[in-house]
Amino acid sequence: MTWINVPDGSPFGPENLPLGIFRAGDEEPRMGAAIGDQVMDLAPVASAQMLDGSQVFAEPTLNSFLALGRPAWHATREWLLDLVRNENNRDAVEPHLIPQSAVTMLLPFEVADYVDFYASEQHATNLGRLFRPDSEPLLPNWKHLPVGYHGRAGTVVTSGTDIVRPSGQRKAPADDAPTYGLSQRLDIEVELGFVVGSPSKLGEPVPVDDFMDHVYGVVLVNDWSARDLQAWEYVPLGPFLGKSFATSISPWVVSLEALEAAEVPLAEQEPAVLPYLASENLANYDITFQVYWNGQLVSSPPYREMYWSPAQMLAHLSVNGASVRTGDLYASGTVSGPEKDQRGSFIELSWAGREPLTVNGEERTFLVDGDEVTITGSATTPDGHRIGLGSVTGRILPGA
Ligand SMILES: O=C(O)/C=C/C(=O)CC(=O)CC(=O)O
Ligand SMILES: [Ca+2]
Ligand SMILES: [Mg+2]
């Protein structure tokens, strides 16, 4: 409950309170919390209350806040919950509520390192069938470790950024030689991204049970993928230019504390994992995404079906002693469920172009210039409230 007007069905009810960076007019960008259709401007509220460390709310990225760690994240959440629940705060807060329509949302944090996993069994099986039709779809390592690769942090962009169609080398199996040109198989990947707050030390793996100490929250991710570039370049070192041209994230970072109400146990893993990946407390999130292609709903991938938990991903990416930094982003990998209308990429939805979709009356396989894709996602908790992640959107511009 809250004294603030929150429209029915809003992704940003009073239990959620995600954080982001907004710009109002020509003022300096700073931190805000989403509540209903409004942004709470945190810096003036915190400084009027002489809150300890209130200067972090005036910064143009979340990084300083993220570096504070779990006790401070928790205290901030308690403070925000009290602000929105307790009507005594109305006079202090109301002047600092700004309509979201009046602000521009920016990239919420400076991305340190970016890692992309491959944690959906359905997606990995589908892509195995499409990319490697003559072998077993799941490679022998897949159920022993969360497969991933290091991506390009500098090309992570915020929702609303236009995506220029990339060029590169392509060679279909039937072609004699590679050619250079614009990607003809531009695709999306629906993913959940985990945002690291507290760093770890070089040489010290992060134990699987320490996930909550390091990860602050989540964002929506669209890992744009040029399938023709990818198919030719990826053996044996994995994705490179087919993925690195742009990755879009949503502007609001939803805290793990808010998402806790939507936790579900991880499904049993068979074969059993090695001890550094094992824990009694492995959880997943009951989040459902929606994919809109030029406004038409084409898929609803379910996160709860993911094979690897985010805690296992963090334990694995640091097990060799690699440290994590404030602002690291690691993405789950494409989220695909068992049903056709739960697939998280167009290569799967159109079965590599062989089974076109009908989008607003037109046949579609991969993205054409001018197309716009919007991904939304939310969890409904057992007590019936909704924790929304907002949306991430991007439009394809012609390449040069
Ligand atoms: O199976 C492959 O060769 C590669 C598949 C992907 O596109 C990898 C990827 O980006 C990971 C993911 O999003 O699940
Ligand atoms: Ca991906
Ligand atoms: Mg990408």
Side-chain angles (χ1 to χ4, degrees):
M1 73 274 75
T2 175
W3 54 267
I4 300 171
N5 176 43
V6 175
D8 277 352
S10 170
F12 305 131
E15 300 83 6
N16 190 349
L17 304 169
L19 301 176
I21 299 293
F22 71 95
R23 183 174 22 224
D26 52 13
E27 295 170 25
E28 293 297 315
R30 56 190 183 271
M31 222 168 121
I35 174 84
D37 291 341
Q38 306 184 86
V39 181
M40 193 194 298
D41 186 358
L42 299 177
V45 180
S47 74
Q49 298 191 347
M50 294 191 290
L51 205 70
D52 252 7
S54 64
Q55 68 283 357
V56 296
F57 300 120
E59 294 201 10
T61 71
L62 296 182
N63 293 58
S64 297
F65 170 77
L66 292 172
L68 294 175
R70 175 64 53 199
W73 305 337
H74 178 70
T76 302
R77 177 165 170 82
E78 291 297 310
W79 172 63
L80 289 172
L81 285 169
D82 180 65
L83 290 179
V84 304
R85 283 177 179 168
N86 189 338
E87 188 148 15
N88 296 338
N89 294 309
R90 184 189 276 268
D91 290 347
V93 170
E94 211 162 37
H96 304 293
L97 292 174
I98 309 170
Q100 282 169 26
S101 57
V103 304
T104 305
M105 297 305 299
L106 307 180
L107 193 68
F109 55 98
E110 193 184 328
V111 183
D113 287 300
Y114 168 48
V115 165
D116 189 21
F117 283 98
Y118 193 40
S120 158
E121 185 171 357
Q122 287 294 334
H123 173 72
T125 303
N126 288 337
L127 279 245
R129 289 200 177 112
L130 292 167
F131 275 134
R132 296 170 288 278
D134 301 323
S135 24
E136 273 299 305
L138 282 190
L139 290 164
N141 58 4
W142 199 88
K143 289 200 169 176
H144 293 281
L145 53 86
V147 171
Y149 67 95
H150 284 94
R152 191 163 189 84
T155 55
V156 176
V157 298
T158 195
S159 178
T161 305
D162 289 334
I163 306 299
V164 177
R165 180 179 298 274
S167 290
Q169 285 198 26
R170 311 124 334 157
K171 182 188 165 308
D175 297 343
D176 294 334
T179 54
Y180 171 86
L182 291 164
S183 171
Q184 303 300 316
R185 296 197 152 206
L186 190 53
D187 198 356
I188 63 156
E189 291 189 328
V190 176
E191 307 195 23
L192 190 62
F194 297 88
V195 181
V196 173
S198 294
S200 66
K201 290 208 181 77
L202 187 65
E204 295 182 14
V206 178
V208 66
D209 285 321
D210 286 4
F211 167 68
M212 290 289 286
D213 293 340
H214 291 277
V215 174
Y216 171 74
V218 302
V219 289
L220 295 167
V221 176
N222 184 350
D223 180 21
W224 304 97
S225 298
R227 300 300 180 188
D228 39 3
L229 277 53
Q230 180 186 351
W232 167 233
E233 75 179 358
Y234 85 103
V235 181
L237 292 186
F240 191 46
L241 303 178
K243 302 271 187 180
S244 64
F245 55 95
T247 305
S248 299
I249 64 171
S250 55
W252 294 109
V253 184
V254 172
S255 68
L256 292 187
E257 260 190 275
L259 262 189
E260 237 169 353
E263 273 185 9
V264 287
L266 193 75
E268 204 196 322
Q269 293 172 318
E270 176 60 43
V273 295
L274 287 169
Y276 79 93
L277 293 170
S279 166
E280 296 291 290
N281 310 309
L282 294 175
N284 240 336
Y285 297 105
D286 193 8
I287 295 170
T288 305
F289 303 95
Q290 292 80 31
V291 183
Y292 297 92
W293 194 345
N294 295 334
Q296 180 180 320
L297 179 67
V298 293
S299 181
S300 304
Y303 193 83
R304 64 179 299 148
E305 305 275 344
M306 298 298 271
Y307 189 86
W308 293 102
S309 84
Q312 292 176 313
M313 296 179 211
L314 182 62
H316 184 66
L317 84 78
S318 64
V319 72
N320 63 349
S323 47
V324 294
R325 294 193 283 176
T326 300
D328 278 7
L329 171 69
Y330 67 94
S332 61
T334 311
V335 182
S336 289
E339 305 300 326
K340 188 168 181 188
D341 63 359
Q342 294 178 328
R343 296 174 185 169
S345 66
F346 298 151
I347 192 174
E348 294 168 271
L349 284 163
S350 73
W351 210 248
R354 299 196 276 277
E355 298 170 19
L357 283 78
T358 306
V359 179
N360 300 326
E362 291 174 29
E363 278 208 346
R364 284 307 172 83
T365 54
F366 294 95
L367 289 159
V368 304
D369 293 345
D371 277 358
E372 185 173 75
V373 176
T374 298
I375 300 166
T376 60
S378 66
T380 302
T381 65
D383 68 359
H385 67 259
R386 184 160 169 242
I387 302 289
L389 304 185
S391 70
V392 59
T393 191
R395 195 163 54 97
I396 307 303
L397 295 189

